[in-house]
Each structure stands twice: as C-alpha cells, then as structure tokens.
Amino acid sequence: LVSISLALIFSVSLFLKWIFQPSFILSEQELSKAKSREVTIYRDTWGVPHIFGETDSDAAFGLAYAHSEDDFSTIQDVIIMVKQKSGLLKGKDGAITDFLMEWLRIYETVDNFYHSHLSPEVKQLMEGYCQGINLFAHEHNDEIKLNVFPVEPRDIVVGFVFRTPMFFGLDRELESLFNLKEKPEIQSKSKRKLSPSPIGSNGFAVSPKRSENGETMLVINSHQPWDGPTSWYEAHVHSEEGWNMSGGLFPGSPVIFVGHNDSLGWVHTVNEPDLIDTYILDIHPENPDLYKLDNEWLTLEKKIMPIKLKILGPFSWTIKRDVLWSVYGPVLQFDHGTYAIRYSGMNEIRQIEQWYRMNKSSNFSEWFKSMEIQGIPSLNSVYADYSGNIFYIYNGNFPDRQPGFDWQGYLPGWTSETLWENTIPIENIPMVKNPDSGFLFSTNQTPYMVTKDIDNLDPDFYPIEWGIERHMNNRAYRAIDLFTSHTEISFEELKTIKFDLYFSENSAMAQYINDIIKAIDVSELDFQDVKSVLTDWNLSTHPENREAALAILSTKPFLQFKYRNLDDAILLEHAGNAAEYLKKFHGSLRVPFGDVQRLVCGETDLAIGGGPDILRAVYSTYDENGKLRGTAGDGLFFFVKWDKNGKVFSESIHQYGSATARPESPHYDDQAHLFVMKKMKPVWRVKSEILKHVEAEYSPGKYLSDY
C-alpha cells in the first residue's frame, strides 16, 4: 500500500507539472522579426560577450540574448518583479514587492509618460532588447519559471522606475516608517536620519597632471551584491550607429551602467542626498478617508489591489489590499497615524534615456548634456576622458523646498508650504572639474573631500536642507593618504592604491578596536587573550594576517562608515562571541584571515583578503562551517587609461566569471582565481583583437552555436 501510494503521488506530481508547466511560443510574425536582426555575438576566451549589431537596436537584441544565456534565471526574477507576480514565486515576501509597485503607481507613471518622454531611439533600443529575451524564452521553455512572457518595452522601463529610488534610500525610509510604535512629534531636530549603509563603491580618476606618463586613468569599481538582480555582468556592445561601450550592467538592463568607450568612461558610487520626505497627515476624526490641507478636507484616493500568493505547487490564493494616495504621494495608515511619502523623481521615467546618451557620448560636453536630463536622481559620478579631463559630480535631484521646516524630520502634511514641485538645476549641485591636484575620488564619503584640500568644495555654500553627507570613511581616509603620498602615479601604482588592504588609524574600525581594548582593561572578564590579539593587529586584512579575523568578527555586527559610541558591555559581548566562534571552528584566536574569509562559487573555495570599508572591499556573511563567505563588494571592475595620443587601454575582472548562473559552464568561476590574487584580464574592444581570442561566434535567431 505504501509503494502504491508513493507511486500515485509521484504520478500526480508529474501530471500537475506537465499541466501547469509554464511555456511561451513566439508567433511566426515575432519570430520572423527576431530572425531579421543583424547581430553577431563573439564570445572571447573568458566567455565575455562582444555584441556587434548593425543598429543600436540590433545590438540591444544581442545583449539581451547573450545575458539570457548566462543568467536567464535572474533576468526572469526581474521580469516577474516588474510584472507584479513576485507573490506567485516567493509567497508573502514577494507580495510586498507587488504591493509596493502598485502603491508607488509605477505602471501608471510609465504609461503616462512613455510616449512623450522617451526618444524614438530608446524605444527602438528597448524593442530590440525585449525581442532578445523573448527569443531566448521561446527557445528554452524548460527554464521558464512563470508565464510572464512576452516581456515588453514598458516592462523594462518599469524596472528602472521602481528600483531607482531604492538607491537613495526609499526602502530604508519605509522600513523606518513601519518600525514606528507611536506617532512622532514634528520638531526642530530630526530623529529620523538614516544610518549610512555599510556597502559602498570606489571611483578614482587621475589626470595627466598627476600621472607618470601623461596618461589619463580611471578606476571603475562600483560595489554590488555578488548575486541577484543588482549583481554585475560584463559585456561589450558595438553598433554601426556609434555605440561602442564596454562595462557592467544589471540583469534586465539594455544599456551599460558603468564603463567606457574609446573616448571616455565613468563610474557611479552611491550617495545619500535627502530626496525623500515623510508627512504626517491630519485625518478627519469621523472619516478616515479625509485629510486636511490648508483648512480644506480632501479625500484620499483609494483603489483595491488584488495580490496573488503562491500556496502549493501551481495553486495560488488572491488577497486584496487598499492602495491609498494623497496630493503628496502614496499613503500608509497605521494605528498611530497616517503618513504620506514624497520623493524626487516620482514622475521620472528617463533613466534608460540618460544612460543611453551617456553610453554614446564622445566628449565631456556630450556626456554632461546627458547628465542634464536628470533622469537618474542620485549617484555620484567620477569621469575621465581621452583629452585629459577628470570630473566629479554629486548627482542629486534636490527638491526645491521652502526654508523653515526640518526637512530631515517628519513634516506637517496639512499645509501646501511643504508640498514642493520642482528640483534644483544641475548647474547648482556639487561638482569638481580638473582640480590642480590632478586626482579625484569617490568612496561614498562627503562630496566636500574628493581631492586635495585646496581643490575641495566649501560645504557652507550648499543648503543644509539638501541633506548632503558630511562623513568620511576608511576608504576615503586611505585614498587621501595614498594619493597624496605619490607625486606621480603610474598605472601599476593606481592598482596598488585600489587593492589596498589596510584600515586607517582614523577609521571607525581603529576606534572600535581601541574601545574594545579599553573596555577589557576595566572589565572583570578574562579577556586578556582577546586583548593580546587585538593589540597586536596592524589594521591589515591580508589573507595571511593572524589577527584580522578576530577584529573583523568582533566588529562585524555594528561596523558602519561612521564611528558611534557603544556601551562597553556591547563591545565585550561581540568580542567574546567572536572569540568563541574562532575557537569553536578554528581552534585559535590567531588564525590566517584567508582561512576564515572565503570566496565560494560552486566547487571553488578560495581565501580572499580585504574586508568591510577596505579599498579592496569584501562584505561577507557567516556560513555553517565557521567561515565568512563573501557576498558583496569588489565584483566586476575596470582599470582604464588613455595615453598621450588618446588611445584607450583597459583591464577588467569579475569575482566569478561571465556565466554567472550556469554552473556547468567553464566560465562560471574561471575568473575567481585571478580575482583573489588581485590580478586582471585584458578587455578586447577592436574586432581584430577579439577574433584572435574568440571562443564562439553566432547570430541568435539565424543559427545556434555550441556555446
């Protein structure tokens, strides 16, 4: 009977899988369009795709297909998110994303402005990109997770519109709001300032004034998670219409985010300007749908949103939630109050337009004109070009707010005086071009310290309402020290700066270690072995360093960019936990750091140096074997230089490889060994060079390759 029951269950599960297996078949007309694309994909010996298309749209088609070959799983996750089907894939957690997209009116915004705000070139670009994804889905039905195909151009735009405000903290602003236990007071000093994120990025630019051989140099080193929808993918895109860009992009992107062409390049680092406001609404005592504005009662806009949740296998359950809106923006109701959110770029859909124009720029004037679109509402940019220009901009679409309010606190939501409409023109925001020092850097630090002292901006010149960061971090301290210690900087010395493995004496880490040592001195606990190790530590995160593991583990739970005073008991608790952890899994407090911190990809398991807020950045999580497994930080990055004649040369590396989600591929982890040894690989951009190192050549839709 047991055998019969098991066989019956197995048969039913196979039947259900057959019945409900997602599938997608292109129409003959759409298949014909895909096959008419003029594009060839060349895979080099590292598996990096070089996409050569006749038009920009053809190239975008090839980019989508190549990226799908390497990571169709994550691209699907992005599409499922933008189609508001995450609840069907991830249950309750996914349903929150589905609700947020409706709550923020993402699709409504895109539908309102798609035809009027995007150029014909960008629309064609996205059409080609969607055709590439759809063709791959058509050919690989066995990999489809949900019935969300075909993907359409507006879906791609929706993904950008939804994810963009997360870069300047909308997700953490909402988390702060959900954590409220009672209605806050409106007061002159804010209690709501967001704490800085521990993950950052690096961007360096060196002009001929400072370089050893009269070169212009750029380091493109944006830190991101090593896996998931915001992990880096390397590609080279070339068209006969002038698009010729090497760099990194995220799954679901038809353009390069950071990288370089023959003439110029740039890198983004995350900044945190105050672009978000939270308002306390004055709700009518007898009608929760009414709120007061300037002594007039207005009605909250309301609609019911059905959300589908996965229950078991192919079965789902639909729940309904109210979606509320005010003149300020989306509204949330709690027992302790009703709140509205307003943020910069709420009606902005031109993110792809701006990045596309940046990709195709050939000089500083064209690139800055692209920045003037202000479709990207935040992110620092560090720029360099063939003619010797270097440039830094603290990009931010700052709301044009009235003075007299604490804009970084909770705001009165009953007066139009707090209802801003416009943003500050780009020419008024912080930027530095061609400083006399000959170098610029961004490590998520204050924009008032991006080069040598005399060339920096005056913080008193910019309104406090903009919420511009004032803090430094370890990477900033180390960058200043290392750049100023060289009168001339060679390409190899620039690499040494980027791969630096030390904490500064001025860093939060150094201060915390001193605090722990002092706490041990006055404690009755027997922590002398911990004190001995931490006292001997030279602030290095080399894999061979035997003190770094205890220091990193002791501070990991609370290390941020900025130092803050912590109670001795907290410091000793975490130091004690770290000591127990090392003794349990490694038998000693003095263990080579590389034995603890690892880069793991499939069967590859390698020692790696670096650490949190180190220029050689590695952020990690605990695993079940007593190791710190790297999860973010240095991932795909580039060293770029232009010689005196303006000829470009570049090198790149990825923490894993090009086939980011294909364990069966030799390119799944073939760059990892170079990565941990701080070595680079060449970036081939000229077709004749690419053909010397080609592994596969094919044209999607026309014939398949062995790749």
Side-chain angles (χ1 to χ4, degrees), residues 16 23 25 52 140 146 197 286 288 308 337 488 630 644 687:
L16 288 174
S23 63
I25 302 298
F52 280 70
H140 299 83
L146 290 177
S197 168
E286 297 178 1
K308 285 191 174 182
E488 292 183 341
K644 292 179 180 178
K687 192 171 184 179

Side-chain angles (χ1 to χ4, degrees), residues 85-158:
K85 304 293 185 184
S86 295
L88 288 175
L89 188 68
K90 300 179 180 179
K92 181 180 178 181
D93 290 342
I96 294 173
T97 302
D98 296 339
F99 173 81
L100 281 177
M101 292 194 67
E102 193 71 25
W103 184 65
L104 296 172
R105 294 188 172 182
I106 302 297
Y107 264 102
E108 184 176 328
T109 299
V110 173
D111 289 342
N112 286 341
F113 299 109
Y114 184 87
H115 294 292
S116 58
H117 282 46
L118 297 179
S119 66
E121 297 94 332
V122 164
K123 293 174 187 173
Q124 292 168 10
L125 185 89
M126 289 188 295
E127 287 173 5
Y129 184 79
C130 290
Q131 284 180 0
I133 295 176
N134 291 333
L135 176 62
F136 189 88
H138 167 85
E139 295 173 347
H140 299 83
N141 271 223
D142 58 318
E143 296 186 32
I144 295 177
K145 300 178 181 180
L146 290 177
N147 287 315
V148 292
F149 296 97
V151 59
E152 301 174 352
R154 77 168 189 151
D155 299 325
I156 304 302
V157 180
V158 161

Side-chain angles (χ1 to χ4, degrees), residues 484-646:
T484 55
S485 67
H486 294 81
T487 55
E488 292 183 341
I489 302 172
S490 68
F491 199 49
E492 292 305 312
E493 286 169 334
L494 186 60
K495 291 181 182 179
T496 301
I497 293 173
K498 157 64 206 109
F499 285 121
D500 180 69
L501 292 169
Y502 285 88
F503 284 101
S504 166
E505 292 284 356
N506 297 316
S507 67
M509 171 64 84
Q511 295 178 72
Y512 284 134
I513 296 303
N514 288 333
D515 286 351
I516 294 172
I517 293 171
K518 290 177 182 177
I520 292 173
D521 286 338
V522 299
S523 172
E524 296 179 358
L525 298 175
D526 184 14
F527 272 27
Q528 293 309 306
D529 53 348
V530 173
K531 177 183 176 180
S532 175
V533 174
L534 296 182
T535 301
D536 290 345
W537 187 42
N538 64 352
L539 302 180
S540 161
T541 59
H542 284 78
E544 301 82 13
N545 189 286
R546 289 181 172 272
E547 293 78 39
L550 180 60
I552 298 295
L553 291 171
S554 295
T555 56
K556 182 174 174 56
F558 51 81
L559 183 66
Q560 297 279 343
F561 287 161
K562 293 194 297 184
Y563 171 78
R564 53 199 172 101
N565 286 312
L566 293 176
D567 186 84
D568 283 0
I570 294 176
L571 296 172
L572 293 176
E573 176 187 358
H574 290 300
N577 290 341
E580 290 181 11
Y581 185 83
L582 287 174
K583 288 177 181 177
K584 175 182 177 181
F585 289 103
H586 300 278
S588 173
L589 298 188
R590 295 182 188 267
V591 55
F593 187 43
D595 289 358
V596 178
Q597 183 166 271
R598 312 292 293 182
L599 182 151
V600 180
C601 181
E603 298 300 315
T604 298
D605 188 342
L606 304 170
I608 184 169
D613 201 16
I614 289 286
L615 286 171
R616 195 326 180 234
V618 177
Y619 299 90
S620 54
T621 58
Y622 297 97
D623 71 9
E624 66 278 6
N625 299 313
K627 305 290 180 65
L628 291 176
R629 179 171 178 165
T631 58
D634 275 8
L636 172 66
F637 63 95
F638 294 75
F639 290 103
V640 190
K641 66 177 179 179
W642 289 268
D643 65 18
K644 292 179 180 178
N645 299 315

Side-chain angles (χ1 to χ4, degrees), residues 4-20:
I4 294 173
S5 299
L6 290 174
L8 181 61
I9 292 171
F10 180 71
S11 299
V12 170
S13 65
L14 286 178
F15 176 73
L16 288 174
K17 182 177 180 181
W18 177 71
I19 289 291
F20 294 102

Side-chain angles (χ1 to χ4, degrees), residues 313-381:
F315 302 106
S316 63
W317 177 47
T318 300
I319 61 175
K320 296 181 179 181
R321 288 290 181 267
D322 289 345
V323 179
L324 304 174
W325 194 270
S326 69
V327 294
Y328 291 102
V331 171
L332 287 173
Q333 289 183 327
F334 300 95
D335 291 340
H336 50 71
T338 301
Y339 307 87
I341 294 282
R342 189 172 188 81
Y343 59 90
S344 186
M346 287 177 66
N347 292 315
E348 181 58 74
I349 71 165
R350 295 174 297 168
Q351 295 88 355
I352 297 173
E353 184 83 42
Q354 181 173 336
W355 265 306
Y356 173 63
R357 300 298 171 191
M358 292 164 70
N359 274 231
K360 296 198 68 174
S361 299
S362 60
N363 54 51
F364 178 78
S365 178
E366 292 178 358
W367 186 86
F368 191 78
K369 186 176 181 181
S370 303
M371 293 291 291
E372 289 177 334
I373 294 173
Q374 291 190 285
I376 306 168
S378 66
L379 302 178
N380 301 298
S381 295

Side-chain angles (χ1 to χ4, degrees), residues 57-73:
S57 185
D58 290 337
F61 167 83
L63 174 63
Y65 193 91
H67 201 168
S68 295
E69 288 182 298
D70 290 327
D71 195 359
F72 188 51
S73 176

Side-chain angles (χ1 to χ4, degrees), residues 147-376:
N147 287 315
V148 292
F149 296 97
V151 59
E152 301 174 352
R154 77 168 189 151
D155 299 325
I156 304 302
V157 180
V158 161
F160 278 73
V161 174
F162 178 62
R163 290 188 289 184
T164 294
M166 307 307 169
F167 279 102
F168 55 82
L170 181 59
D171 52 343
R172 283 179 290 126
E173 189 87 11
L174 294 176
E175 182 181 3
S176 175
L177 189 56
F178 274 93
N179 286 335
L180 278 179
K181 302 301 181 185
E182 58 184 20
K183 182 185 290 187
E185 295 181 5
I186 295 174
Q187 44 195 337
S188 59
K189 289 188 177 181
S190 171
K191 292 186 178 180
R192 195 176 51 90
K193 186 62 178 175
L194 296 176
S195 61
S197 168
I199 295 180
S201 297
N202 300 326
F204 306 143
V206 180
S207 77
K209 292 180 181 179
R210 197 60 175 259
S211 66
E212 185 179 63
N213 300 313
E215 299 165 327
T216 307
M217 299 183 288
L218 178 67
V219 178
I220 300 168
N221 184 211
S222 293
H223 303 156
Q224 288 297 128
W226 287 355
D227 301 282
T230 56
S231 58
W232 287 121
Y233 178 74
E234 181 179 4
H236 170 212
V237 186
H238 180 286
S239 84
E240 298 304 315
E241 294 182 334
W243 190 14
N244 186 16
M245 194 78 188
S246 297
L249 61 143
F250 297 160
S253 169
V255 289
I256 302 291
F257 288 163
V258 297
H260 72 93
N261 55 35
D262 286 342
S263 302
L264 56 84
W266 70 90
V267 55
H268 295 307
T269 69
V270 171
N271 59 355
E272 292 185 332
D274 183 9
L275 307 183
I276 309 167
D277 291 321
T278 301
Y279 303 84
I280 302 174
L281 298 186
D282 185 1
I283 299 298
H284 194 285
E286 297 178 1
N287 187 342
D289 293 334
L290 299 179
Y291 66 103
K292 184 182 287 187
L293 184 70
D294 295 338
N295 296 316
E296 180 181 356
W297 291 105
L298 305 180
T299 303
L300 289 171
E301 298 179 44
K302 180 188 293 187
K303 68 177 180 178
I304 308 295
M305 178 193 176
I307 303 173
K308 285 191 174 182
L309 284 170
K310 178 181 179 180
I311 300 177
L312 179 65
F315 302 106
S316 63
W317 177 47
T318 300
I319 61 175
K320 296 181 179 181
R321 288 290 181 267
D322 289 345
V323 179
L324 304 174
W325 194 270
S326 69
V327 294
Y328 291 102
V331 171
L332 287 173
Q333 289 183 327
F334 300 95
D335 291 340
H336 50 71
T338 301
Y339 307 87
I341 294 282
R342 189 172 188 81
Y343 59 90
S344 186
M346 287 177 66
N347 292 315
E348 181 58 74
I349 71 165
R350 295 174 297 168
Q351 295 88 355
I352 297 173
E353 184 83 42
Q354 181 173 336
W355 265 306
Y356 173 63
R357 300 298 171 191
M358 292 164 70
N359 274 231
K360 296 198 68 174
S361 299
S362 60
N363 54 51
F364 178 78
S365 178
E366 292 178 358
W367 186 86
F368 191 78
K369 186 176 181 181
S370 303
M371 293 291 291
E372 289 177 334
I373 294 173
Q374 291 190 285
I376 306 168

